[in-house]
PDB file of all heavy atoms in Angstrom:
ATOM      1  N   SER V1028      -3.862 -10.908 -17.432  1.00 98.00           N
ATOM      2  CA  SER V1028      -3.878 -11.246 -15.937  1.00 98.00           C
ATOM      3  C   SER V1028      -5.147 -10.622 -15.346  1.00 98.00           C
ATOM      4  O   SER V1028      -5.780  -9.779 -15.921  1.00 98.00           O
ATOM      5  CB  SER V1028      -2.627 -10.616 -15.321  1.00 98.00           C
ATOM      6  OG  SER V1028      -2.785  -9.204 -15.217  1.00 98.00           O
ATOM      7  N   ASP V1029      -5.505 -11.134 -14.180  1.00 98.00           N
ATOM      8  CA  ASP V1029      -6.698 -10.633 -13.488  1.00 98.00           C
ATOM      9  C   ASP V1029      -6.518  -9.130 -13.184  1.00 98.00           C
ATOM     10  O   ASP V1029      -7.453  -8.325 -13.297  1.00 98.00           O
ATOM     11  CB  ASP V1029      -6.954 -11.387 -12.208  1.00 98.00           C
ATOM     12  CG  ASP V1029      -7.455 -12.782 -12.437  1.00 98.00           C
ATOM     13  OD1 ASP V1029      -7.998 -13.065 -13.511  1.00 98.00           O
ATOM     14  OD2 ASP V1029      -7.320 -13.573 -11.488  1.00 98.00           O
ATOM     15  N   ASP V1030      -5.254  -8.651 -12.905  1.00 97.00           N
ATOM     16  CA  ASP V1030      -5.064  -7.271 -12.629  1.00 97.00           C
ATOM     17  C   ASP V1030      -5.285  -6.383 -13.841  1.00 97.00           C
ATOM     18  O   ASP V1030      -5.602  -5.192 -13.736  1.00 97.00           O
ATOM     19  CB  ASP V1030      -3.607  -7.034 -12.075  1.00 97.00           C
ATOM     20  CG  ASP V1030      -3.388  -7.651 -10.763  1.00 97.00           C
ATOM     21  OD1 ASP V1030      -4.364  -7.815 -10.018  1.00 97.00           O
ATOM     22  OD2 ASP V1030      -2.229  -7.911 -10.399  1.00 97.00           O
ATOM     23  N   GLU V1031      -5.054  -6.973 -15.046  1.00 98.00           N
ATOM     24  CA  GLU V1031      -5.183  -6.209 -16.339  1.00 98.00           C
ATOM     25  C   GLU V1031      -6.656  -6.022 -16.673  1.00 98.00           C
ATOM     26  O   GLU V1031      -6.981  -5.148 -17.540  1.00 98.00           O
ATOM     27  CB  GLU V1031      -4.437  -6.831 -17.420  1.00 98.00           C
ATOM     28  CG  GLU V1031      -2.957  -6.763 -17.256  1.00 98.00           C
ATOM     29  CD  GLU V1031      -2.178  -7.546 -18.212  1.00 98.00           C
ATOM     30  OE1 GLU V1031      -2.683  -8.643 -18.660  1.00 98.00           O
ATOM     31  OE2 GLU V1031      -1.008  -7.205 -18.600  1.00 98.00           O
ATOM     32  N   LEU V1032      -7.586  -6.744 -16.106  1.00 98.00           N
ATOM     33  CA  LEU V1032      -8.980  -6.701 -16.520  1.00 98.00           C
ATOM     34  C   LEU V1032      -9.599  -5.306 -16.331  1.00 98.00           C
ATOM     35  O   LEU V1032     -10.471  -4.877 -17.040  1.00 98.00           O
ATOM     36  CB  LEU V1032      -9.826  -7.693 -15.700  1.00 98.00           C
ATOM     37  CG  LEU V1032      -9.429  -9.182 -15.993  1.00 98.00           C
ATOM     38  CD1 LEU V1032     -10.299 -10.103 -15.082  1.00 98.00           C
ATOM     39  CD2 LEU V1032      -9.624  -9.561 -17.479  1.00 98.00           C
ATOM     40  N   SER V1033      -9.138  -4.574 -15.342  1.00 97.00           N
ATOM     41  CA  SER V1033      -9.667  -3.230 -15.013  1.00 97.00           C
ATOM     42  C   SER V1033      -8.918  -2.112 -15.719  1.00 97.00           C
ATOM     43  O   SER V1033      -9.288  -0.937 -15.557  1.00 97.00           O
ATOM     44  CB  SER V1033      -9.639  -2.988 -13.507  1.00 97.00           C
ATOM     45  OG  SER V1033      -8.289  -3.016 -13.051  1.00 97.00           O
ATOM     46  N   GLN V1034      -7.947  -2.446 -16.598  1.00 97.00           N
ATOM     47  CA  GLN V1034      -7.165  -1.430 -17.272  1.00 97.00           C
ATOM     48  C   GLN V1034      -7.840  -0.975 -18.538  1.00 97.00           C
ATOM     49  O   GLN V1034      -8.342  -1.792 -19.323  1.00 97.00           O
ATOM     50  CB  GLN V1034      -5.724  -1.914 -17.591  1.00 97.00           C
ATOM     51  CG  GLN V1034      -4.936  -2.123 -16.283  1.00 97.00           C
ATOM     52  CD  GLN V1034      -3.540  -2.514 -16.572  1.00 97.00           C
ATOM     53  OE1 GLN V1034      -3.019  -2.331 -17.647  1.00 97.00           O
ATOM     54  NE2 GLN V1034      -2.851  -3.169 -15.646  1.00 97.00           N
ATOM     55  N   ASN V1035      -7.788   0.350 -18.817  1.00 94.00           N
ATOM     56  CA  ASN V1035      -8.263   0.843 -20.096  1.00 94.00           C
ATOM     57  C   ASN V1035      -7.120   1.181 -21.011  1.00 94.00           C
ATOM     58  O   ASN V1035      -6.026   1.579 -20.555  1.00 94.00           O
ATOM     59  CB  ASN V1035      -8.975   2.268 -19.869  1.00 94.00           C
ATOM     60  CG  ASN V1035     -10.333   2.120 -19.195  1.00 94.00           C
ATOM     61  OD1 ASN V1035     -10.812   1.032 -18.996  1.00 94.00           O
ATOM     62  ND2 ASN V1035     -10.829   3.228 -18.755  1.00 94.00           N
ATOM     63  N   ILE V1036      -7.344   1.059 -22.320  1.00 92.00           N
ATOM     64  CA  ILE V1036      -6.290   1.396 -23.265  1.00 92.00           C
ATOM     65  C   ILE V1036      -6.308   2.882 -23.543  1.00 92.00           C
ATOM     66  O   ILE V1036      -5.251   3.434 -23.931  1.00 92.00           O
ATOM     67  CB  ILE V1036      -6.462   0.549 -24.593  1.00 92.00           C
ATOM     68  CG1 ILE V1036      -5.225   0.660 -25.397  1.00 92.00           C
ATOM     69  CG2 ILE V1036      -7.684   0.894 -25.305  1.00 92.00           C
ATOM     70  CD1 ILE V1036      -4.030  -0.010 -24.894  1.00 92.00           C
ATOM     71  N   PHE V1037      -7.420   3.569 -23.329  1.00 92.00           N
ATOM     72  CA  PHE V1037      -7.476   5.010 -23.444  1.00 92.00           C
ATOM     73  C   PHE V1037      -8.588   5.588 -22.534  1.00 92.00           C
ATOM     74  O   PHE V1037      -9.518   4.799 -22.199  1.00 92.00           O
ATOM     75  CB  PHE V1037      -7.776   5.419 -24.952  1.00 92.00           C
ATOM     76  CG  PHE V1037      -9.138   4.880 -25.458  1.00 92.00           C
ATOM     77  CD1 PHE V1037     -10.214   5.715 -25.401  1.00 92.00           C
ATOM     78  CD2 PHE V1037      -9.202   3.699 -26.104  1.00 92.00           C
ATOM     79  CE1 PHE V1037     -11.448   5.333 -25.884  1.00 92.00           C
ATOM     80  CE2 PHE V1037     -10.434   3.293 -26.575  1.00 92.00           C
ATOM     81  CZ  PHE V1037     -11.561   4.088 -26.514  1.00 92.00           C
ATOM     82  N   ASP V1038      -8.441   6.830 -22.182  1.00 92.00           N
ATOM     83  CA  ASP V1038      -9.445   7.449 -21.308  1.00 92.00           C
ATOM     84  C   ASP V1038     -10.805   7.342 -21.950  1.00 92.00           C
ATOM     85  O   ASP V1038     -11.002   7.706 -23.136  1.00 92.00           O
ATOM     86  CB  ASP V1038      -9.043   8.875 -21.076  1.00 92.00           C
ATOM     87  CG  ASP V1038      -7.842   9.109 -20.149  1.00 92.00           C
ATOM     88  OD1 ASP V1038      -7.551   8.128 -19.417  1.00 92.00           O
ATOM     89  OD2 ASP V1038      -7.237  10.164 -20.123  1.00 92.00           O
ATOM     90  N   GLY V1039     -11.783   6.951 -21.163  1.00 92.00           N
ATOM     91  CA  GLY V1039     -13.120   6.835 -21.638  1.00 92.00           C
ATOM     92  C   GLY V1039     -13.470   5.530 -22.242  1.00 92.00           C
ATOM     93  O   GLY V1039     -14.644   5.301 -22.585  1.00 92.00           O
ATOM     94  N   GLY V1040     -12.511   4.646 -22.507  1.00 93.00           N
ATOM     95  CA  GLY V1040     -12.731   3.389 -23.131  1.00 93.00           C
ATOM     96  C   GLY V1040     -13.169   2.359 -22.085  1.00 93.00           C
ATOM     97  O   GLY V1040     -13.139   2.578 -20.881  1.00 93.00           O
ATOM     98  N   MET V1041     -13.686   1.247 -22.541  1.00 95.00           N
ATOM     99  CA  MET V1041     -14.036   0.160 -21.680  1.00 95.00           C
ATOM    100  C   MET V1041     -12.793  -0.562 -21.160  1.00 95.00           C
ATOM    101  O   MET V1041     -11.900  -0.849 -21.931  1.00 95.00           O
ATOM    102  CB  MET V1041     -14.930  -0.901 -22.403  1.00 95.00           C
ATOM    103  CG  MET V1041     -16.340  -0.485 -22.551  1.00 95.00           C
ATOM    104  SD  MET V1041     -17.426  -1.876 -23.048  1.00 95.00           S
ATOM    105  CE  MET V1041     -17.048  -2.015 -24.777  1.00 95.00           C
ATOM    106  N   PRO V1042     -12.781  -0.901 -19.944  1.00 97.00           N
ATOM    107  CA  PRO V1042     -11.649  -1.714 -19.433  1.00 97.00           C
ATOM    108  C   PRO V1042     -11.646  -3.049 -20.113  1.00 97.00           C
ATOM    109  O   PRO V1042     -12.631  -3.549 -20.673  1.00 97.00           O
ATOM    110  CB  PRO V1042     -11.952  -1.964 -17.948  1.00 97.00           C
ATOM    111  CG  PRO V1042     -12.988  -0.815 -17.565  1.00 97.00           C
ATOM    112  CD  PRO V1042     -13.689  -0.559 -18.829  1.00 97.00           C
TER     113      PRO V1042
END
Side-chain angles (χ1 to χ4, degrees):
S1028 71
D1029 288 341
D1030 292 337
E1031 291 171 328
L1032 297 177
S1033 62
Q1034 293 184 21
N1035 288 350
I1036 193 68
F1037 63 91
D1038 287 340
M1041 280 193 283

